[in-house]
Amino acid sequence: MKYSDFLDLGYKPGKDDIIALFRIRPSGMSMKEAAARVASESSNGTWSELPETALVRRIAAKVFWMGAHYVKIAYPLELFELGSMPQLYSSVAGNIFGMKAVESLRLEDIHFPRKYLHSFRGPQFGIKGVRRFMGVKKRPLLACVPKPKVGLTSSEHAKVGYDIWTGGIDLLKDDENLTDQRFNRFEKRVEMSFRMRDKAESETGERKSYLVNVTAETREMLRRAKLVSDIGGEYVMADILTVGWAGLQTLRDECQDLGLAIHAHRASHAAFTRSLEHGVSMAVVADSARLVGVDQLHIGTVVGKLVGSTKEVKDLERELSSEIVTEERLIKKESHLLEQDWGKIKPVFPVSSGGLHPGILPDVVQILGKNIILQVGGGIHGHPDGSHAGARAVRQAVELITEGKKLSETRDKELRVALDLWGRFKPK
Amino acid sequence: MKYSDFLDLGYKPGKDDIIALFRIRPSGMSMKEAAARVASESSNGTWSELPETALVRRIAAKVFWMGAHYVKIAYPLELFELGSMPQLYSSVAGNIFGMKAVESLRLEDIHFPRKYLHSFRGPQFGIKGVRRFMGVKKRPLLACVPKPKVGLTSSEHAKVGYDIWTGGIDLLKDDENLTDQRFNRFEKRVEMSFRMRDKAESETGERKSYLVNVTAETREMLRRAKLVSDIGGEYVMADILTVGWAGLQTLRDECQDLGLAIHAHRASHAAFTRSLEHGVSMAVVADSARLVGVDQLHIGTVVGKLVGSTKEVKDLERELSSEIVTEERLIKKESHLLEQDWGKIKPVFPVSSGGLHPGILPDVVQILGKNIILQVGGGIHGHPDGSHAGARAVRQAVELITEGKKLSETRDKELRVALDLWGRFKPK
């Protein structure tokens, strides 16, 4: 087949086609040719002309829409292995980024047909399930990472857990690079932290949990998940991108049997999501994570220390928590979502994290709504009166926000101190 | 700790430190401050000031060298979990890419201390081991992917295998997006292809093998590897980046027991390696793959359809196949390697692939040497007389190159036809 066989602007995508939206800058050729080459390389073409069969022709990808810098490509479902996230990436997010035919190329979003969608598990709990087992109906859930993120011993870590749980935080969370270090062994940390969890639960009368980082080689990761389950935990946490899709799918399978929810940290995503011209968008990562079935995923804060425009973060919230995503008109230089009916795949709880403190929480809730998890680290432990007071300040802020009140109305000492220290400071 | 605590230009890295070379473009602050913030976020700092212990201070990362756009950061070994590739990435290639403190950030290379190095397996076979079991002493090894890469049935695939093996190619290879599709089931393809392999071996008297793509969710991937081993195969192939580090480490463990070599395809790498300003370099991917222990890895062609400068591809060849890598003076806008004594970690066979055909093979060998695997797809099947003739042309070219002769000296019909068709054409 020739390149031009991969371009068919009259083609109407079938109901079983996977559709990908790309932003393309061609290199030394027309947009049409570059787009056709992308469709070719990501399906079943190559640079030389080859003999073809009816099957080969039928399953070739087709560029069927072009507008400004964007193209939509339809991929017949037969190109894919059902239920395999690595194979999806190897196809539509594989060799194409290195092609000389493009100056730059960004995969913006993917639309999945129902048959493909339902070959994955999706979240076991999702937003509703998490709210149910945590016993929190309306307000945002609250999470906290001990800081310094690496360097606390297991007992110091558990002590911080106790302080923030009793201060009003729902979830203790390991940070992305804390796994099993010499000075803070996984087993010991889990054991001591859950002992403190039980104490905090009986003292506060609230449900408390712990997002335990099980990131590791697959078998070790599953062994750690089993330990968490055995000790009575509700959650594992994984750095889904540094673990990778094969390991995440295996962890998801295991968590079904263990009855554990998955908290997904997105460490490393910005290596390929940050450029608006090249790479893979965070929306695609969010789609993939929802399909595989994480229950909670980091999406950014808009106002914190990590990049992410308001539109991007809101789109991520929409992609994760909607039953049906509707498509918008394409606008230059912004992120874009394709239409998606999520069918039986449950919504994922969006997590806002990175440089948050009480003074900027109203901005985050205003942008993203109350159906989110607010995760605060430095903005709790940096409180002048310590982590317990910092946790109280965050809970006090969130109660006010949930009641529709202003933080300045507070009569609580801890929140007052936090506001005096940080105001609405935006960390870098 | 304050940011400035993560900057110590007088610091001499200890023998157990992991050292990372970054290229940084600060955003609204000095290079010193941006570099210190990168060191902080990738080790154990945060944006707020926190109480600290002796341990926390001791294991903080330190910016110890700065020059032009580059900085070197030393990370005490205690920050890391030995033998865990996901944890390494979550640390030194994690959140930092999304920090507002940097305009762009690229992880260029990592130096590993001996203790960390030897907590990984490294390749089971490496270059020497592969040459031994394939019985090929001096010339480049030759591999070929059937094309169209997706769309052949299992029997068509096996037939192509027979054609190229008997034409003089050593290795049949699945392409990155061919796994287990409805029209070409994994089991059936493997069974039929190995039957043809045995036939080709007995007819040619040469050793032949098949790089079988086992890319999938981890348990399924291991099941497929076992099938390959049971049927008498020597290799599995994996798309190491779409599988991810957790799954790759598990596959490596399994392959030790099964006695299988690992061929690593790098599909998706250019999503984050292509920009010279932002992301992670392919050199870091190559380091990581060597540590985990793949036996063969794609590094590019310089002259083919995929991007990759001569210096970058040569550096990759050097990083993969040297016992000791020496550091060069940093030059603007080029890739760079830090010093590395690879200790007991065996060299990896570099694979040159993507848009190759006989006419440009001399260029590739001139740039990369003979200790490589040349993989040709479209440049074999696009031959006017078919895949068998195309394979013969490639083998004829490589024999001439190995003897130090020019391709124009050929008296072989197949090579002559290929040269007449493509000359030294460079595909896009």
Side-chain angles (χ1 to χ4, degrees), chain A residues 41 79 81 87 90 93 98 100 102 149 177 179 181 217-219 224 239 242 250 254 268 274 304 307, chain B residues 41 79 81 87 90 93 98 100 102 149 177 179 181 217-219 224 239 242 250 254 268 274 304 307:
Chain A
E41 182 66 36
L79 283 167
E81 178 180 342
Q87 196 269 341
S90 295
K100 286 177 180 171
V102 295
K149 56 187 179 179
N177 57 347
T179 54
Q181 276 90 334
E217 172 276 324
T218 323
R219 284 174 177 137
R224 291 179 190 177
D239 298 336
T242 67
T250 315
E254 192 76 358
S268 216
R274 183 164 179 168
V307 294
Chain B
E41 182 67 37
L79 283 168
E81 177 180 345
Q87 198 270 340
S90 295
K100 287 178 179 169
V102 296
K149 56 186 178 179
N177 56 348
T179 55
Q181 275 91 332
E217 172 276 325
T218 323
R219 284 174 177 138
R224 292 178 190 177
D239 298 336
T242 66
T250 315
E254 192 77 358
S268 216
R274 183 163 178 169
V307 294

Side-chain angles (χ1 to χ4, degrees), chain B residues 108-125:
Chain B
E108 297 281 352
D109 197 15
I110 308 180
H111 160 88
F112 301 104
R114 184 153 293 221
K115 197 169 167 187
Y116 190 77
L117 210 63
H118 290 159
S119 71
F120 289 86
R121 288 182 179 270
Q124 183 174 183
F125 300 95

Side-chain angles (χ1 to χ4, degrees), chain A residues 2 14 77 100 126 154 157 201 241 291 294 307 310 324 331 359:
Chain A
K2 303 180 297 297
L77 197 56
K100 286 177 180 171
S154 304
H157 185 101
E201 278 195 343
L241 295 168
L291 263 193
V294 309
V307 294
T310 307
I324 293 178
I331 307 156

Side-chain angles (χ1 to χ4, degrees), chain B residues 293-311:
Chain B
V294 309
D295 298 282
Q296 305 179 174
L297 175 66
H298 290 232
I299 63 165
T301 63
V302 182
V303 296
K305 69 183 172 180
L306 304 174
V307 294
S309 70
T310 306
K311 166 133 176 62

Side-chain angles (χ1 to χ4, degrees), chain B residues 21-83:
Chain B
L21 174 68
F22 290 99
R23 182 184 168 87
I24 298 183
R25 284 222 282 171
S27 174
M29 62 181 72
S30 71
M31 184 70 169
K32 274 190 181 169
E33 184 175 349
R37 283 172 189 259
V38 168
S40 161
E41 182 67 37
S42 58
S43 61
N44 62 358
T46 187
W47 62 271
S48 65
E49 286 188 30
L50 301 173
E52 58 191 271
T53 63
L55 170 63
V56 169
R57 268 192 305 276
R58 190 176 72 233
I59 65 173
K62 274 154 202 80
V63 179
F64 69 96
W65 182 91
M66 300 177 65
H69 301 293
Y70 296 98
V71 307
K72 290 184 193 170
I73 299 179
Y75 297 86
L77 197 55
E78 284 173 280
L79 283 168
F80 302 93
E81 177 180 345
L82 294 179

Side-chain angles (χ1 to χ4, degrees), chain A residues 215-342:
Chain A
T215 297
E217 172 276 324
T218 323
R219 284 174 177 137
E220 178 60 20
M221 189 162 61
L222 301 186
R223 194 186 69 80
R224 291 179 190 177
K226 179 76 166 48
L227 279 170
V228 172
S229 166
D230 286 348
I231 210 165
E234 293 77 22
Y235 278 102
V236 290
M237 175 198 134
D239 298 336
I240 62 171
L241 295 168
T242 67
V243 159
W245 297 114
L248 181 66
Q249 286 201 261
T250 315
L251 181 65
R252 174 64 187 87
D253 289 344
E254 192 76 358
C255 283
Q256 188 72 29
D257 299 335
L258 298 175
L260 294 174
I262 300 174
H263 178 93
H265 195 289
R266 59 177 182 160
S268 216
H269 78 96
F272 59 85
T273 65
R274 183 164 179 168
S275 163
L276 298 180
E277 299 263 326
H278 188 76
V280 178
S281 74
M282 183 61 207
V284 171
V285 175
D287 276 349
S288 317
R290 182 169 177 178
L291 263 193
V292 171
V294 309
D295 297 282
Q296 306 178 175
L297 175 66
H298 290 233
I299 63 164
T301 62
V302 182
V303 296
K305 69 184 172 181
L306 305 174
V307 294
S309 70
T310 307
K311 166 134 174 63
E312 189 205 322
V313 178
K314 282 175 90 160
D315 273 357
L316 290 174
E317 190 272 334
R318 203 155 64 91
E319 187 73 273
L320 287 180
S321 54
S322 309
E323 309 273 346
I324 293 178
V325 175
T326 50
E327 191 170 336
E328 291 176 305
R329 204 168 61 82
L330 294 171
I331 307 156
K332 211 178 149 193
K333 284 254 178 196
E334 288 279 3
S335 60
H336 299 290
L337 303 183
L338 294 174
E339 169 185 293
Q340 183 67 55
D341 178 343
W342 279 99

